[in-house]
Amino acid sequence: MVQAQATSETSARRRPLKVGLQLPEAERVVRWSELLAMARLAEDIGFDSLWVGDHLMYRRLEEPPRGPWEAWSLLAALAAVTSRVELGPLVACALFHSPAMLAKKAATIDEISGGRLILGLGAGWHEPEFRAYGFPFDHRVSRFAEAFTIIRTLLREGEIDFAWNYYQTRECVLLPRGPRPEGPPLMVGSLGERMLDITLPHVQAWNAWYAYYGNDWRRLPEIMARLDDACRAAGRDPKTLERTVAVLIELPGGEGRWSVDRSDQRPVPLRGTPEEIAAELRAFAAVGISHVQLVLDPITLESIEAMAPVLAELDRG
């Protein structure tokens, strides 16, 4: 009944793309009670998805380290307290987990959520957290290739017997299976040529963080042309790959999103009235983006509430 109602509500809208929300990560310490309130508010006002970062800690030389809550525990909790929104890591670092255990976690959260998980995957990038938590940082893409083979095979086929350079998973069976016979949809968060070669034959979606494209939809056609070429090289129709991006939005009280690397050029955030922000999001849809994850500055309950008129404006078509 809940799924049927959600489908009816979605079909009645004329929203040109799905709109998700990234929950707080390392901007400040946010307790579960506030995260719960944010998730429920986001679902109530019409967001399509909720996302959490899969990081362990951030270290910037001139400041004390910062850290988020553990992503998979949060996803399980969010799956239990929401009923409609899709959920996912943005994106999961495959190298922070045993690949088979990550597949097990994904299947379990997909079950708890009733089939609402989107499994975003990447190879990680912030070396200090690898070192601090005891994960090897060398040969990241080669390690990812093996991990990705194990994860996707278990979720799609339910079993694997695998032994290569970095991982061994012998006679592994994924039981019980989640609510979807082929598992949750897979999404890769990378622009790297090797990463695309590894993942594009198998994933349903691609994602870019806002810094990758300067937070400017005008720069996306060139990037997506490269994706089209990579899809053709992988033997798939580019039209079958969903394109998604994170979008930085600054609201009253925003002071610039905290970044682990101050050497990065800071992309200009979207600002303006609800109508102006909605117009910019329509422009993302016009260049082929089907799902955005909004990164709000500041990330507060008030900021989430301020997005309600933006969503309402998008629903007008």
Side-chain angles (χ1 to χ4, degrees):
M1 177 65 73
V2 171
Q3 289 182 339
Q5 181 178 353
T7 300
S8 176
E9 291 173 353
T10 301
S11 62
R13 298 184 317 201
R14 294 188 293 172
R15 188 175 297 182
L17 76 179
K18 290 182 179 180
V19 182
L21 173 71
Q22 192 199 37
L23 291 172
E25 192 179 23
E27 299 87 348
R28 58 189 174 89
V29 176
V30 180
R31 300 293 173 183
W32 168 244
S33 59
E34 186 177 357
L35 287 167
L36 173 60
M38 287 179 170
R40 287 178 168 165
L41 175 61
E43 186 166 62
D44 287 346
I45 67 175
F47 274 95
D48 296 297
S49 58
L50 294 173
W51 302 83
V52 300
D54 186 15
H55 283 278
L56 306 173
M57 60 161 282
Y58 292 104
R59 176 167 283 139
R60 197 161 67 184
L61 290 178
E62 69 275 26
E63 294 184 5
R66 300 190 186 199
W69 299 112
E70 195 278 318
W72 290 91
S73 301
L74 280 182
L75 285 169
L78 292 168
V81 299
T82 58
S83 60
R84 177 185 59 78
V85 289
E86 293 178 301
L87 304 160
L90 194 64
V91 291
C93 179
L95 309 190
F96 288 165
H97 314 269
S98 152
M101 277 302 301
L102 195 150
K104 187 80 167 178
K105 292 176 183 181
T108 302
I109 291 173
D110 206 34
E111 172 68 20
I112 295 169
S113 68
R116 292 183 284 127
L117 179 70
I118 299 172
L119 181 53
L121 291 167
W125 57 271
H126 188 50
E127 185 174 359
E129 63 183 336
F130 279 77
R131 185 170 59 250
Y133 278 78
F135 297 109
F137 193 71
D138 64 296
H139 303 97
R140 284 183 302 119
V141 177
S142 296
R143 291 178 188 275
F144 175 86
E146 293 187 20
F148 181 67
T149 298
I150 295 168
I151 294 163
R152 66 175 173 79
T153 302
L154 282 173
L155 289 173
R156 297 290 182 264
E157 301 176 17
E159 58 184 313
I160 192 171
D161 188 81
F162 182 94
W164 205 244
N165 292 324
Y166 304 107
Y167 297 105
Q168 294 79 42
T169 304
R170 307 316 307 254
E171 299 181 357
C172 184
V173 180
L174 184 64
L175 293 172
R177 302 298 300 278
R180 291 180 275 190
E182 296 188 351
L186 304 178
M187 180 179 78
V188 60
S190 178
L191 290 173
E193 182 177 349
R194 281 187 66 201
M195 289 288 287
L196 294 179
D197 288 345
I198 292 163
T199 57
L200 285 185
H202 307 286
V203 299
Q204 287 68 52
W206 165 86
N207 178 262
W209 187 244
Y210 64 81
Y212 295 175
Y213 67 96
N215 207 50
D216 185 348
W217 58 265
R218 297 165 188 82
R219 295 174 58 180
L220 285 170
E222 179 182 354
I223 293 173
M224 292 200 292
R226 289 165 48 197
L227 278 178
D228 290 347
D229 291 341
C231 282
R232 295 186 188 98
R236 71 182 290 176
D237 183 347
K239 294 179 181 178
T240 65
L241 180 69
E242 183 181 0
R243 323 301 173 93
T244 80
V245 296
V247 180
L248 177 63
I249 296 180
E250 185 177 273
L251 297 164
E255 298 178 348
R257 190 180 189 274
W258 186 86
S259 173
V260 72
D261 187 354
R262 283 184 175 170
S263 67
D264 288 344
Q265 290 186 344
R266 295 295 182 92
V268 177
L270 300 189
R271 305 182 182 95
T273 65
E275 293 76 16
E276 290 168 336
I277 293 174
E280 288 290 308
L281 295 179
R282 289 191 190 99
F284 279 90
V287 298
I289 300 300
S290 60
H291 198 156
V292 292
Q293 299 94 1
L294 303 188
V295 181
L296 304 183
D297 176 28
I299 177 61
T300 62
L301 285 162
E302 292 75 17
S303 293
I304 297 171
E305 183 68 46
M307 288 294 102
V310 175
L311 297 175
E313 179 66 23
L314 286 172
D315 287 344
R316 297 188 179 98

